[in-house]
Amino acid sequence: MEELTKQQPVLESSTIIRLQCLTHLTDYLPVPPLQLQAHTNPLDHNPYFHPISGFYLSPTDVILRNILFDLHTSSNNNYTSGGQLELAAYHRAGPRQHIYFDPATGHVRAAIVTCGGLCPGMNTVIRELVVGLWELYGVREIFGIKAGYRGFYSDQVDDHLPLNPRMVHDLHKRGGTMLETSRGGFDLHQIVNAIQDRGYNQVYIIGGDGTMRGAVKIFDEIKLRKLNIAVAGIPKTVDNDVGIIDRSFGFQTAVEMAQQAISAAHVEAESAVNGIGLVKLMGRSTGHIALHATLSSRDVDCCLIPEMEFYLEGKGGLFEFLESRLKENGHAVVVVAEGAGQNLIPRTEEQIQDKDESGNPVFLDVGGWLKSELKKWWARDHPKELFTVKYIDPTYMIRAVPANATDNLYCTLLAHAAIHGAMAGYTGFVCGPINGNYGYIPVQEVAEAKNVVDTNDHKWAWVRSVTNQPDFART
Ligand SMILES: Nc1ncnc2c1ncn2[C@@H]1O[C@H](COP(=O)(O)OP(=O)(O)O)[C@@H](O)[C@H]1O
Ligand SMILES: O=P(O)(O)OC[C@H]1O[C@](O)(COP(=O)(O)O)[C@@H](O)[C@@H]1O
Ligand SMILES: [Mg+2]
């Protein structure tokens, strides 16, 4: 192929920037109601900020979703049939010159809720939402909704907990969520009625894919009722399965914790005769934690993830591979994501149908099953040889810890991005890093996008080269 030189023209086509539509409260509220007046941003008078030109972002500040192109070809997805380069863009997150809530007149009443499973950093996001609202915008009415979506309409008085910076001061050092969380309990009308009755006009929703699907419905209902309420989503998932954003907070912390389990499995395996260390890691439908822990540990001989089918017996199967590893090294380490191999585990019809309160499938323990299959295999094929399987299941240990330094900083930026967006009158958005810059993404898009491991890409090839494991799909 001809080499691209400096002299050659690149990108001869014209370019269209397609800005993803972000809803502003003024888009659906009658104009001009008094409460939708624009106010100058109080950061203008904040002693710690000296807004200079370029400090405030405008609606024309955008981030491109895709930043990788093949300059030689017009055959990829970024080109329209007319040969034009079409680039999806999102509004950049950050403070705006004008805001549409006036904290000075006590006009802001914010609610914060955490939903779904735990994830390192949830408490940091809560902390930074409270401190940011209080310190940056002078908001004094901030409430924590207890125990997930159901807390909005619960009849427990203290399920709407008034929050202030003193109460959340040390929160970033603690795992979990001080607000408690839950699955299920989504009742749209009761939730929106409660938001309306309690007078909340900013709702910060911290949660994963399920939570964001709920947030879409809340946002739609709020628009239908023409309420002056901003809805901001903050994407949370230890599995890193939320799409569009670079990664989710807490993920790196979880990968770090997973390393400890893998190291322990490695020590146990190499200290036994024909020892296998087996580690089960979280990942309901995606294997990002298993993949990243495998790549960074280098002690792993085989990584099994939900995105890739595998089998045990016969040519190219797991047993054959482990047998060769045991012969070569005397030990082996297997990492399995909880959602992997579910179709191989015998189960009753009832177990197949089993769902948690949010409607997520309930899995059988792939680690326990694999351990028992490994033992049966060895006893059958090598009855006279020693064999040990040490199974480590650190499931909740990797997510019930405080966020590490990187994740803590990330949580702070996310919380501030959410606050700036809501104060500026944007609604129905999720904030998150896109190619390293923070943006506002329509919540609908986030609810639909899923981040799965692509077993055809370079990263998975890298996993295979590190582990040398079989390519189950292709043998
Ligand atoms: N399709 C949906 N519509 C409305 N609410 C949903 C939907 N899916 C999940 N939820 C609600 O979102 C919350 C969290 O969902 P869940 O799947 O448990 O966790 P996550 O948000 O972390 O993926 C639960 O209260 C659940 O009832
Ligand atoms: O036992 P719980 O609390 O339901 O959580 C287990 C699930 O949480 C997860 O980490 C995903 O949680 P989210 O969907 O809430 O992010 C899965 O990997 C796992 O199946
Ligand atoms: Mg989820």
Side-chain angles (χ1 to χ4, degrees):
M1 188 190 283
E2 199 186 344
E3 281 298 307
L4 193 69
T5 67
K6 276 185 187 162
Q7 286 75 35
Q8 278 180 300
V10 292
L11 285 188
E12 284 168 350
S13 61
S14 59
T15 305
I16 304 166
I17 305 279
R18 186 165 41 80
L19 189 56
Q20 302 304 90
C21 172
L22 191 60
T23 306
H24 194 271
L25 289 168
T26 50
D27 293 343
Y28 69 86
L29 285 174
V31 188
L34 276 179
Q35 67 266 38
L36 278 190
Q37 276 177 1
H39 307 271
T40 47
N41 195 315
L43 292 178
D44 277 356
H45 314 292
N46 186 308
Y48 302 110
F49 290 83
H50 302 285
I52 49 160
S53 164
F55 174 83
Y56 291 118
L57 297 172
S58 78
T60 52
D61 284 304
V62 301
I63 308 164
L64 296 182
R65 177 163 181 184
N66 293 320
I67 53 170
L68 300 178
F69 302 100
D70 181 345
L71 298 178
H72 275 299
T73 174
S74 59
S75 64
N76 66 44
N77 292 338
N78 294 310
Y79 289 87
T80 63
S81 52
Q84 287 172 313
L85 183 63
E86 189 174 88
L87 304 176
Y90 297 99
H91 289 279
R92 277 185 63 197
R96 266 53 183 172
Q97 177 104 56
H98 291 106
I99 58 172
Y100 282 81
F101 291 91
D102 186 10
T105 56
H107 175 53
V108 181
R109 203 170 153 86
I112 304 169
V113 67
T114 52
C115 309
L118 289 187
C119 177
M122 284 167 102
N123 266 333
T124 311
V125 175
I126 297 168
R127 180 194 192 280
E128 295 304 328
L129 284 172
V130 173
V131 174
L133 281 163
W134 192 285
E135 302 289 349
L136 300 176
Y137 288 99
V139 179
R140 294 294 178 264
E141 293 185 47
I142 309 168
F143 294 83
I145 309 303
K146 300 290 284 287
Y149 276 135
R150 68 187 78 234
F152 274 109
Y153 57 86
S154 128
D155 50 13
Q156 306 286 315
V157 180
D158 55 3
D159 275 356
H160 295 250
L161 181 70
L163 296 170
N164 63 52
R166 227 174 340 103
M167 293 170 73
V168 298
H169 179 67
D170 263 353
L171 224 49
H172 59 298
K173 297 178 185 164
R174 285 166 34 194
T177 160
M178 77 164 285
L179 297 180
E180 300 166 350
T181 185
S182 71
R183 301 194 188 273
F186 186 85
D187 183 320
L188 178 62
H189 291 279
Q190 288 212 68
I191 292 169
V192 179
N193 289 348
I195 292 172
Q196 204 173 349
D197 292 348
R198 298 262 180 177
Y200 297 133
N201 51 15
Q202 292 187 1
V203 180
Y204 295 92
I205 302 176
I206 306 164
D209 55 340
T211 306
M212 293 310 150
R213 285 193 287 276
V216 171
K217 293 176 187 168
I218 294 173
F219 168 55
D220 286 343
E221 181 64 22
I222 282 174
K223 269 193 304 184
L224 198 71
R225 297 190 194 183
K226 295 203 182 304
L227 303 176
N228 183 12
I229 300 170
V231 178
I234 299 171
K236 166 249 46 146
T237 160
V238 74
D239 292 355
N240 198 29
D241 59 5
V242 172
I244 304 173
I245 60 171
D246 296 345
R247 68 179 158 81
S248 49
F249 72 78
F251 172 67
Q252 287 191 335
T253 305
V255 170
E256 249 170 61
M257 291 302 293
Q259 302 286 294
Q260 295 180 17
I262 293 173
S263 295
H266 186 235
V267 169
E268 290 287 345
E270 67 177 357
S271 307
V273 178
N274 292 321
I276 294 207
L278 175 62
V279 179
K280 184 180 77 171
L281 294 173
M282 279 199 171
R284 186 189 283 126
S285 53
T286 62
H288 295 286
I289 297 177
L291 182 155
H292 282 251
T294 295
L295 283 177
S296 39
S297 137
R298 303 292 168 101
D299 283 338
V300 179
D301 295 279
C302 188
C303 173
L304 304 169
I305 58 170
E307 291 88 340
M308 180 201 65
E309 304 239 329
F310 68 92
Y311 54 94
L312 304 180
E313 304 271 1
K315 192 166 161 33
L318 183 66
F319 292 161
E320 183 192 72
F321 170 70
L322 289 178
E323 177 143 11
S324 71
R325 288 311 257 213
L326 292 179
K327 263 201 196 111
E328 262 167 57
N329 299 335
H331 69 277
V333 175
V334 178
V335 164
V336 60
E338 64 173 330
Q342 288 295 317
N343 57 337
L344 300 176
I345 311 175
R347 69 185 70 208
T348 61
E349 189 52 37
E350 200 183 333
Q351 286 172 324
I352 292 172
Q353 301 303 333
D354 202 8
K355 300 262 192 291
D356 71 11
E357 281 185 281
S358 294
N360 299 306
V362 173
F363 289 149
L364 298 182
D365 177 10
V366 63
W369 168 78
L370 203 49
K371 175 180 176 177
S372 124
E373 294 300 308
L374 285 165
K375 285 183 147 185
K376 280 193 254 169
W377 157 64
W378 195 267
R380 182 193 70 200
D381 291 7
H382 307 277
K384 299 215 171 92
E385 289 179 53
L386 283 175
F387 182 67
T388 301
V389 186
K390 289 290 191 287
Y391 172 36
I392 300 179
D393 177 358
T395 298
Y396 295 107
M397 289 180 64
I398 69 168
R399 74 173 198 191
V401 292
N404 68 14
T406 312
D407 276 326
N408 260 331
L409 286 177
Y410 176 13
C411 291
T412 304
L413 295 174
L414 274 178
H416 287 196
I419 294 170
H420 291 312
M423 294 302 302
Y426 289 119
T427 180
F429 69 87
V430 166
C431 49
I434 304 163
N435 298 316
N437 283 289
Y438 286 72
Y440 297 132
I441 310 160
V443 62
Q444 178 82 40
E445 268 193 67
V446 174
E448 286 166 7
K450 191 149 179 88
N451 179 27
V452 293
V453 174
D454 181 355
T455 54
N456 292 313
D457 79 355
H458 297 169
K459 207 187 258 173
W460 187 250
W462 181 17
V463 169
R464 291 207 48 240
S465 74
V466 165
T467 59
N468 204 21
Q469 70 190 65
D471 193 359
F472 298 99
R474 293 175 182 86
T475 38

